[in-house]
Amino acid sequence: MLQDKDTASGWTEPRATAVLVLQDGTVLEGFGIGAVGEATGEVCFNTAMTGYQEILTDPSYAGQIITFTFPHIGNVGTNEEDIESVNAASSSGVRGVVLAASITEPSNWRASRDLDAWLKARQIVGLTGVDTRALTALIRDRGMPNAVIAHDPEGRFDIDALKAKAAALPSMDGQDLVPLVTSGQRFDWDETTWNRGEGYGHQDGSPKHHVVAIDYGVKRNILRLLARAGCKVTVVPATATAEDVLALKPDGVFLSNGPGDPAATGEYAVPVIRKVLDEKIPTFGICLGHQMLSLAVGAKTKKMHQGHHGANHPVKDRTTGKVEITSMNHGFAVDPETLPQNAVETHVSLFDGSNCGISLTDRPAFSVQYHPEASPGPQDSHYLFDRFVQLMDQKKAQV
């Protein structure tokens, strides 16, 4: 840690080695961690107390700087298993991380590396020593700001230049970030969920259904739960055409999570989904996939003030009356006032009443805004994968 000494008083003051400069000119100083250099992005806050490695490898965070409201991040280190991006070796798109407390030594039997070294390896810029409560309050008051995060071990920053860069950054509105995180080619997936003492498993026997998953930034655990549910899973890039998807003769189509403005991604994704729906193939969407399905039937999406990012969001399932504790990560939402008559609102947030799910009355298709695979409940929402399988069972029974 760099220190500046006042020779008159003998007082030693730590020198900032990292800064977060917001688009309005606000400057927050701290101590650098992770990669050295600069990164830009939209600042959001996440209220989860656990799962920071999964959060930092979630492709849906592409283009964003994450502020953790929980102060003790990094205390269980990192490992080679808790990674959500399909390509474990590449960056998931997260631009930076902001923490309150310094990172401590790992204290978990699964840890293979401390968080600071892990951030360096993944080229994620970070800083600690920030009043994350104040930053969170600022975001709640003013919305999610663009910012520049910079780390220099020598503590040398051109603040005026950083302010100008932050002020000139484009809004998340209109940005299609899916190309940054989607797969480059088609591949098969057969890994199932994790068990203590065994690790991740693989499918046994013959899968019951064939699911084509369109990858807008898919998370690994979604694919694992599909495989565990007895589905042969073929993952295709977001650029796959309807002809590409239908040629695989799927029993069901899954629309994955992902980053950015759904309306921008919808320019090429919606026509594909409409053709899948026309064939009445069972369809299930999560997060961005929920927004894609909604856009495909004529609804609109809108930018949220502060978004939903955390693992403690209560959602009511109107079809059962039950309340689920869910994980969420989205900065856009479906406008329920624009849903057509054939789209029923099935789930709502109990925090703000925003739309969290739909089901179509004339097609075997449904979707949710939250992440059932993230297991904060811990398994409150796993039934959604069973619902998807039931739709495929019913479709086959009609043939």
Side-chain angles (χ1 to χ4, degrees):
M1 179 184 296
L2 290 179
Q3 295 182 329
D4 292 321
K5 187 172 183 178
D6 186 326
T7 55
S9 65
W11 181 264
T12 299
E13 183 73 19
R15 189 195 311 175
T17 56
V19 293
L20 180 71
V21 181
L22 308 185
Q23 65 188 42
D24 65 357
T26 300
V27 179
L28 302 176
E29 296 183 339
F31 308 107
I33 55 172
V36 172
E38 295 179 8
T40 61
E42 180 185 71
V43 184
C44 65
F45 64 85
N46 188 298
T47 57
M49 297 173 66
T50 60
Y52 56 80
Q53 185 176 345
E54 290 92 336
I55 291 166
L56 289 167
T57 55
D58 179 354
S60 296
Y61 278 110
Q64 291 185 304
I65 298 168
I66 304 172
T67 301
F68 285 95
T69 60
F70 187 66
H72 303 296
I73 300 297
N75 53 347
V76 296
T78 63
N79 59 65
E80 305 309 311
E81 293 184 323
D82 295 343
I83 292 174
E84 284 291 359
S85 53
V86 170
N87 186 345
S90 70
S91 170
S92 63
V94 170
R95 302 286 174 81
V97 59
V98 180
L99 308 180
S102 298
I103 298 173
T104 59
E105 287 296 314
S107 58
N108 187 279
W109 62 275
R110 297 177 67 221
S112 59
R113 185 160 37 170
D114 67 67
L115 179 58
D116 186 27
W118 184 87
L119 291 171
K120 285 183 172 68
R122 298 185 74 85
Q123 292 298 300
I124 298 173
V125 182
L127 77 162
T128 67
V130 171
D131 185 346
T132 52
R133 295 173 300 176
L135 180 55
T136 298
L138 184 150
I139 294 171
R140 283 178 169 162
D141 288 342
R142 306 180 191 175
M144 295 178 285
N146 285 327
V148 179
I149 186 170
H151 174 196
D152 178 1
E154 299 301 318
R156 297 169 299 195
F157 303 104
D158 185 339
I159 297 299
D160 289 338
L162 294 175
K163 286 182 179 181
K165 179 181 284 191
L169 292 171
S171 167
M172 188 67 78
D173 277 307
Q175 290 198 48
D176 175 25
L177 300 181
V178 168
L180 299 176
V181 295
T182 188
S183 305
Q185 59 187 8
R186 188 179 80 194
F187 63 92
D188 295 327
W189 183 276
D190 69 352
E191 186 177 82
T192 56
T193 50
W194 188 90
N195 289 303
R196 184 172 180 177
E198 301 174 4
Y200 294 110
H202 291 274
Q203 283 179 332
D204 294 325
S206 300
K208 188 176 182 181
H209 300 295
H210 180 204
V211 171
V212 171
I214 303 179
D215 177 15
Y216 306 120
V218 71
K219 293 172 66 178
R220 284 172 170 248
N221 214 45
I222 292 174
L223 300 178
R224 293 185 188 113
L225 285 169
L226 288 170
R228 192 182 74 170
C231 301
K232 173 188 174 183
V233 182
T234 302
V235 182
V236 299
T239 53
T241 65
E243 290 70 26
D244 293 334
V245 173
L246 297 176
L248 294 170
K249 301 187 183 303
D251 299 312
V253 171
F254 174 75
L255 311 174
S256 88
N257 61 290
D261 184 342
T265 303
E267 292 292 327
Y268 55 87
V270 161
V272 175
I273 297 167
R274 284 177 176 164
K275 289 184 179 180
V276 169
L277 294 177
D278 287 343
E279 296 294 326
K280 296 191 176 180
I281 298 172
T283 304
F284 174 30
I286 287 176
C287 197
L288 184 65
H290 162 64
Q291 296 160 356
M292 290 297 100
L293 179 63
S294 300
L295 290 172
V297 297
K300 304 292 185 183
T301 55
K302 56 185 179 181
K303 186 81 162 63
M304 302 178 77
H305 177 69
Q306 65 190 41
H308 286 169
H309 310 277
N312 58 347
H313 289 252
V315 168
K316 184 173 183 178
D317 181 348
R318 286 179 165 174
T319 66
T320 64
K322 293 182 178 179
V323 175
E324 306 160 40
I325 301 302
T326 72
S327 279
M328 288 194 181
N329 173 24
H330 59 104
F332 291 80
V334 173
D335 183 354
E337 299 299 320
T338 65
L339 288 170
Q341 290 186 342
N342 66 326
V344 176
E345 185 175 56
T346 56
H347 296 75
V348 293
S349 166
L350 296 185
F351 275 160
D352 59 12
S354 60
N355 173 264
C356 288
I358 66 168
S359 178
L360 303 188
T361 59
D362 58 347
R363 309 290 167 87
F366 71 102
S367 57
V368 292
Q369 182 64 77
Y370 55 94
H371 283 271
E373 85 291 342
S375 306
Q379 298 182 8
D380 290 10
S381 308
H382 283 190
Y383 69 91
L384 292 165
F385 293 90
D386 296 330
R387 282 188 183 179
F388 186 34
V389 169
Q390 289 167 8
L391 283 182
M392 291 185 283
D393 287 340
Q394 292 167 8
K395 177 71 174 180
K396 284 187 174 180
Q398 295 170 3
V399 178

